[in-house]
Amino acid sequence: MSQMRLNPLNGRWVTIVPDRAERPSDFATRSPVGDLQLDRPCPFCPGNEEETPPAVETSEEDGTWSMRVVPNRFPAFDGDDAFAVHNLGPVHVKAEASGIHEVFVYERGHTGGLHLLDDDHAVELMAVLKRRLTQHAELPFVRYTQVIVNHGREAGASIAHPHGQILGLPFVPSEVLDEERAFARFAGGSLLATTVEAELAAGQRIVLANDDVVVMCPWASGVPYEMLIVPREQHAHFPNASDESLRAVGIALRDSIAHLNRALGDVAFNLGLHTAPHQHTGDYHWHMHIWPQLTTQAGFERGTGVLINIVAPEEAAATLRSVAVNA
């Protein structure tokens, strides 16, 4: 029977319809994808560093780079103008898309992925992100920084080489504002800390857990095999997290993608890091979302904003837990 579930982080309803679910083996893995820009060498591979603007940060290992952060050659947000809204009449409003758009090449190999990182590289990935967000927070024209990874063409990636993006925005996205409001109105303490304790007690939706981090398929998962990564150590702002907490989250992130890969194959997914806006105070708890791209939104979802998930999160978590992963 279909069931409506309320997402406590954004206050939106999702519909769980397990009777429509396909078997996990029936979900197609992502299409074999080469780079869309076939007229030039991969700009992220070693030896092609001149294909990108100069790096703003580099991690080195044995005299060679292991991770690089470079300005995006085609930025969606660029410039240091303060956010200003311009009214062009009774209904038309615009603002300059100032900000920062960086590419984070977290692996040298062209065909790797998050699930293949060793412990040291998983930890270094989090350390690089901490340094980048710390620097973004010092810039007056950046109000929020969004970290994303698009894996696979179905998830929006145009270059196959493993990479993420770090976008310093001149505004706070509505998704994050909705989460802030959810934390502010939750009367039972910390929203995510309470969620973690409730999920650990229930056990059904836990993918993996230890003293430092919990990975779950959320109660109101909007897409099949969605995962939420929550550090047990609570900080509103990601850069304030301790090294120990970041280490645990980095390894848990690697292992979460490994569980997904082992259970379903090399499926496309989106990863998003949610943290409190740089200058905001108040209740919040930074966390990470993983959204596999296994289904397509249709007219109902787009017309109403209500997602339909054909795999119950309890079933998804059981499937993900059932597979062994070797780090």
Side-chain angles (χ1 to χ4, degrees), residues 131-143:
R131 292 193 292 269
R132 296 314 303 152
L133 267 71
T134 298
Q135 183 167 337
H136 282 206
E138 297 172 353
L139 301 173
F141 57 92
V142 174
R143 296 184 60 194

Side-chain angles (χ1 to χ4, degrees), residues 5 13 42 85 151 164 177-178 245 303 306:
R5 295 189 181 184
W13 290 99
C42 172
V85 172
H151 176 72
L177 290 173
D178 285 344
S245 180
V306 178

Side-chain angles (χ1 to χ4, degrees), residues 57-312:
E57 173 147 351
T58 302
S59 295
E60 293 192 358
E61 186 177 85
D62 298 327
T64 60
W65 66 264
S66 58
M67 297 183 181
R68 301 176 75 227
V69 179
V70 300
N72 194 308
R73 189 180 290 274
F74 306 104
F77 298 90
D78 189 32
D80 55 6
D81 293 333
F83 186 70
V85 172
H86 307 284
N87 293 289
L88 305 181
V91 295
H92 298 131
V93 179
K94 74 171 186 177
E96 285 73 23
S98 56
I100 300 173
H101 193 170
E102 300 171 335
V103 176
F104 178 19
V105 184
Y106 57 81
E107 188 167 328
R108 288 175 61 86
H110 188 79
T111 58
L114 286 171
H115 64 293
L116 295 176
L117 297 178
D118 61 28
D119 286 1
D120 289 342
H121 284 83
V123 172
E124 180 60 16
L125 180 149
M126 302 299 287
V128 171
L129 291 178
K130 180 175 181 175
R131 292 193 292 269
R132 296 314 303 152
L133 267 71
T134 298
Q135 183 167 337
H136 282 206
E138 297 172 353
L139 301 173
F141 57 92
V142 174
R143 296 184 60 194
Y144 183 78
T145 299
Q146 179 65 64
V147 176
I148 61 172
V149 173
N150 299 329
H151 176 72
R153 187 174 297 174
E154 298 88 343
S158 60
I159 295 178
H161 194 117
H163 69 285
Q165 299 179 60
I166 308 170
L167 298 98
L169 308 177
F171 65 97
V172 180
S174 59
E175 183 78 11
V176 176
L177 290 173
D178 285 344
E179 289 189 353
E180 283 194 303
R181 296 184 189 106
F183 277 93
R185 65 174 174 261
F186 186 72
S190 168
L191 174 57
L192 277 186
T194 303
T195 299
V196 163
E197 295 309 317
E199 293 295 353
L200 287 172
Q204 294 176 289
R205 289 170 291 275
I206 298 296
V207 178
L208 58 92
N210 55 44
D211 291 342
D212 299 302
V213 61
V214 172
V215 181
M216 68 188 82
C217 292
W219 160 259
S221 298
V223 299
Y225 298 91
E226 177 181 344
M227 285 182 274
L228 179 65
I229 303 176
V230 184
R232 301 294 295 271
E233 177 186 279
Q234 182 175 343
H235 291 285
H237 297 91
F238 170 79
N240 292 340
S242 69
D243 291 343
E244 293 78 13
S245 180
L246 290 181
R247 175 182 178 82
V249 173
I251 292 173
L253 169 61
R254 186 269 317 278
D255 290 347
S256 298
I257 302 300
H259 277 276
L260 183 67
N261 190 280
R262 183 63 63 89
L264 301 182
D266 185 15
V267 298
F269 65 85
N270 299 108
L271 165 72
L273 166 65
H274 280 179
T275 178
H278 293 307
Q279 305 306 321
H280 286 206
T281 59
D283 293 330
Y284 197 78
H285 190 157
W286 76 268
H287 54 277
M288 304 180 85
H289 295 271
I290 299 171
W291 299 286
Q293 295 297 322
L294 297 168
T295 56
T296 301
Q297 288 191 11
F300 176 79
E301 291 91 341
R302 294 187 182 277
T304 64
V306 178
L307 298 176
I308 294 179
N309 183 0
I310 62 173
V311 179

